[in-house]
Amino acid sequence: MSEMELYKLWSSQDLEDADLTKELEEIAGDEEAIKDRFYQTLAFGTAGLRGVLGAGTNRMNIYVVRQATQGLADYLNAKYDSPKVCIGYDSRIKSDLFAKETARVLAANGVTAMLYGQLMPVPCTSFGTRYMKCQAGVMVTASHNPAKYNGYKVYGDDGCQITDEGAAAVLANIQSVDIFTGVKTMDFDEGVAKGLIQTVPKEVEEAFYQAVLSQSINADLCKDAGLKVVYSPLNGTGNIPVRTILSRIGIDDVIVVPKQELPDGNFPTCPFPNPEIAEALDLGLKLCKEVKADLMLATDPDCDRVGIAVPDRDGNYVLVTGNEVGAMLMEYICYTRIERGTMPEKPVAVSTVVSTAIAGKIAKKYGVEFRQVLTGFKYIGEQIHFLEEEGHPERFIFGFEESYGYLVGTHARDKDAVVGSMMICEMAAYLKSKGVSVLDFLESIYHEYGYYHHVQQSFVCEGADGMQRMADIMDSLQATPPTEIAGLKVEQIDNYITHESKNLVTGEVSKIDLPKSKVLAYHLEGGAKVIIRPSGTEPKIKAYYTTIASKKEDAAAQQKELAADFSKKLGF
């Protein structure tokens, strides 16, 4: 059907959500608005669904959610006997509604829906899926996207994001389901009465807390450290879990940013509720100065990412990047586990190809096997699965990605800002007991391993034209790869699309032993690096710059030159 035909079809339905009816009426005659809502079906992949809330096939609404859930139910029923699904949701607009709609469709298909009774972080859905031996998990969230977005994230029975194979099978089912007439639904109360919709037992939440606490290395230091923490859940799910964990390790002086404490999917104080973005932390930074905090934590709405800020010698608060926190946690975990005698045999740490290479140097120093995987925490979770299959999941000591995602332990198979917050605070308490500041610790790492400067640059490409532009950019770079960037020669190109790595100096071509992904990496003379990839969850194409120098200023200056030239090459 054409966009206009789909619009007329939707407009002719007796829609159950009045907001959708109103929206369709308001865009009558607006061809661009109609096209944007109906030019495609919201893509379902290994990240599930993510899109703008509203009416249409290219929007997040109860009909798109129901259709996706029908596809998931058909997949589960074909693969398992009496399957169960763990369902979680965050504070976003309509998240609770979408979670209940998911439960209704599952129940109608004979699939037991285990629904959390209140909003919960992403790692709790991953954990709950595993703990309750469910065959899948669904988390209603759009992570750190602006308020107009929501999403639907699917996990496999291992608590990791659904595999490419599984996602393809679910997608095939979805495509065979008519969005209005092909979906089975059951009244919610009927589902509860029949035992097909159940509330996740409280014991699962407590088990999650215990699993997180078990990862602590030096919790005994926290109570007497006198650490003062300012915390912002950014109006999301982290408020209760993070504060509960910090209290249990003895950190009680936690001051929550008042306007960002309670759940609110409108995110009134931060249009981009992302701890990677400085503006989201403004209120917290002001509060830090008022109370003279030792540390600021901020978790995103679904509490799988955590950002921090710490004071410098002048009392100003400095934001620390995800790469820097990852490097510090790697150093802290390796050193203190060896110090405590708790380092496992043949330890493994995992990070992504776009994250800091300094982690590899730290791992080498401590005799830790360092594995690099594609972007996306599911690939880190996959490495835990491999270790589990070998009978040694305890070998996994740490996983992280540059976008503020960390995991210590194997209780979850996704980023966990609850355990991340605990480990960051514990590290700060440990350093404080030694008379060392967080920034001094970071500088000592750079002094030992070299100064690694990392910056991510995002180029927004919204709508149908934007999607095409991203595709054109990646095609152009493959057809005519750059030979230099900002005057630095390209010495090697890693093409994750073709699985080939080519050394331009020697002409040698080698295979990249990772799954296919839309990623291109350029290794430049002197150790600098530029990576580009389209985002899988946002209308953006992202560039990652790495520069290495003995001085911070030199690395930063070189990165700015790279970004300016590469942006020009991309046409931005």
Side-chain angles (χ1 to χ4, degrees):
M1 288 187 184
S2 68
E3 290 96 341
M4 187 55 67
E5 287 172 332
L6 283 168
Y7 170 72
K8 289 178 179 178
L9 173 64
W10 278 62
S11 298
S12 68
Q13 303 294 315
D14 184 15
L15 301 178
E16 296 174 41
D17 188 337
D19 291 342
L20 304 183
T21 301
K22 181 181 178 183
E23 181 179 343
L24 292 171
E25 291 172 351
E26 289 175 345
I27 63 170
D30 188 337
E31 291 185 8
E32 280 302 309
I34 290 170
K35 179 182 178 182
D36 188 43
R37 286 161 176 78
F38 292 99
Y39 81 91
Q40 67 173 6
T41 297
L42 202 61
F44 183 94
T46 53
L49 300 168
R50 189 176 297 187
V52 175
L53 289 158
T57 57
N58 190 36
R59 291 289 189 268
M60 279 295 296
N61 52 66
I62 59 172
Y63 298 100
V64 168
V65 167
R66 287 175 182 175
Q67 184 186 41
T69 306
Q70 184 65 54
L72 175 62
D74 291 341
Y75 166 76
L76 294 173
N77 279 326
K79 190 174 181 181
Y80 303 100
D81 294 325
S82 304
K84 291 191 300 184
V85 176
C86 177
I87 306 170
Y89 59 95
D90 67 7
S91 62
R92 288 183 172 273
I93 297 166
K94 296 186 187 287
S95 278
D96 55 345
L97 172 63
F98 293 164
K100 287 183 176 180
E101 291 298 319
T102 299
R104 290 181 61 211
V105 174
L106 291 173
N109 285 274
V111 179
T112 302
M114 305 298 297
L115 178 65
Y116 274 106
Q118 67 285 325
L119 48 82
M120 296 292 284
V122 152
C124 291
T125 299
S126 176
F127 175 84
T129 299
R130 292 173 54 78
Y131 186 86
M132 295 184 292
K133 295 181 170 55
C134 295
Q135 283 63 55
V138 171
M139 179 71 192
V140 180
T141 178
S143 189
H144 55 287
N145 284 53
K148 66 180 181 178
Y149 284 84
N150 212 325
Y152 180 100
K153 196 173 183 180
V154 180
Y155 294 92
D157 58 5
D158 60 353
C160 196
Q161 285 183 50
I162 193 169
T163 64
D164 292 344
E165 182 182 357
V170 173
L171 176 60
N173 290 340
I174 291 170
Q175 290 172 336
S176 68
V177 173
D178 185 277
I179 198 166
F180 293 119
T181 64
V183 179
K184 300 176 185 176
T185 59
M186 178 180 286
D187 178 77
F188 189 86
D189 291 337
E190 181 186 353
V192 172
K194 289 184 175 180
L196 287 166
I197 299 176
Q198 300 179 28
T199 301
V200 173
K202 284 291 182 182
E203 71 175 71
V204 179
E205 296 175 39
E206 180 57 31
F208 172 76
Y209 288 142
Q210 292 301 323
V212 170
L213 290 168
S214 71
Q215 300 309 314
S216 176
I217 304 169
N218 289 295
D220 52 314
L221 293 173
C222 295
K223 187 175 181 180
D224 299 323
L227 204 66
K228 179 177 285 188
V229 178
V230 164
Y231 170 55
S232 173
L234 295 179
N235 301 116
T237 62
N239 188 31
I240 293 174
V242 170
R243 292 168 71 182
T244 297
I245 285 295
L246 295 186
S247 176
R248 291 195 186 187
I249 63 171
I251 299 176
D252 293 314
D253 195 358
V254 179
I255 305 155
V256 182
V257 179
K259 291 183 179 179
Q260 296 176 340
E261 178 177 3
L262 300 179
D264 186 343
N266 293 296
F267 309 119
T269 64
C270 50
F272 296 92
N274 183 351
E276 296 179 71
I277 298 174
E279 289 77 9
L281 278 60
D282 278 349
L283 291 178
L285 293 173
K286 289 176 183 176
L287 186 56
C288 281
K289 289 184 178 180
E290 291 175 17
V291 303
K292 295 181 171 52
D294 295 299
L295 174 72
M296 180 189 171
L297 297 171
T299 54
D300 66 344
D302 60 355
C303 197
D304 63 355
R305 302 168 191 251
V306 55
I308 76 168
V310 292
D312 61 15
R313 289 189 177 89
D314 298 323
N316 297 312
Y317 285 81
V318 178
L319 299 177
V320 186
T321 70
N323 275 319
E324 290 171 333
V325 172
M328 287 191 290
L329 285 175
M330 174 83 90
E331 179 80 20
Y332 170 73
I333 290 167
C334 290
Y335 178 82
T336 56
R337 288 200 67 170
I338 290 172
E339 183 181 50
R340 286 269 183 166
T342 61
M343 183 69 93
E345 291 187 19
K346 299 180 180 179
V348 173
V350 189
S351 189
T352 67
V353 294
V354 299
S355 300
T356 180
I358 202 171
K361 285 194 169 185
I362 296 170
K364 185 177 181 180
K365 174 186 174 182
Y366 291 104
V368 174
E369 180 186 345
F370 182 61
R371 300 180 182 181
Q372 279 191 298
V373 296
L374 292 175
T375 307
F377 222 85
K378 65 179 180 179
Y379 295 112
I380 295 176
E382 184 179 47
Q383 293 299 315
I384 301 174
H385 177 70
F386 293 153
L387 292 171
E388 193 172 52
E389 284 187 324
E390 295 168 9
H392 293 286
E394 79 285 349
R395 289 178 60 197
F396 176 81
I397 61 167
F398 184 47
F400 81 96
E401 59 184 8
E402 50 77 37
S403 56
Y404 295 58
Y406 317 101
L407 178 62
V408 184
T410 62
H411 59 284
R413 299 298 161 87
D414 207 337
K415 302 181 287 288
D416 181 0
V418 181
V419 78
S421 296
M422 180 186 78
M423 294 304 297
I424 289 166
C425 287
E426 182 187 298
M427 177 180 70
Y430 177 86
L431 293 172
K432 191 174 182 179
S433 74
K434 303 290 186 183
V436 177
S437 74
V438 172
L439 289 181
D440 285 342
F441 181 50
L442 178 60
E443 283 304 313
S444 72
I445 290 173
Y446 282 138
H447 180 74
E448 180 171 357
Y449 302 104
Y451 193 89
Y452 284 69
H453 188 69
H454 303 275
V455 173
Q456 185 230 99
Q457 186 178 24
S458 293
F459 305 97
V460 178
C461 302
E462 292 187 318
D465 293 341
M467 294 291 288
Q468 186 59 51
R469 186 178 187 186
M470 287 194 285
D472 290 344
I473 287 171
M474 297 301 289
D475 289 345
S476 176
L477 287 171
Q478 284 196 88
T480 314
T483 56
E484 58 78 31
I485 302 174
L488 296 177
K489 290 182 181 178
V490 177
E491 295 184 336
Q492 179 177 313
I493 299 175
D494 297 335
N495 188 329
Y496 293 86
I497 303 169
T498 62
H499 289 182
E500 284 188 348
S501 177
K502 185 173 183 179
N503 188 311
L504 302 185
V505 178
T506 65
E508 183 182 357
V509 177
S510 58
K511 182 182 178 183
I512 298 174
D513 191 21
L514 288 172
K516 181 178 178 180
S517 184
K518 294 178 182 178
V519 179
L520 298 169
Y522 305 101
H523 300 258
L524 312 178
E525 59 182 321
K529 190 175 182 181
V530 177
I531 300 176
I532 184 166
R533 72 177 184 93
S535 171
T537 56
E538 301 172 274
K540 295 177 180 178
I541 192 163
K542 297 183 176 184
Y544 303 81
Y545 305 98
T546 298
T547 49
I548 308 167
S550 57
K551 292 182 180 179
K552 178 179 180 178
E553 296 78 13
D554 294 342
Q558 188 181 68
Q559 178 274 316
K560 287 182 179 178
E561 291 176 4
L562 289 177
D565 187 46
F566 196 58
S567 298
K568 192 180 296 182
K569 282 179 165 59
L570 298 181
F572 289 97

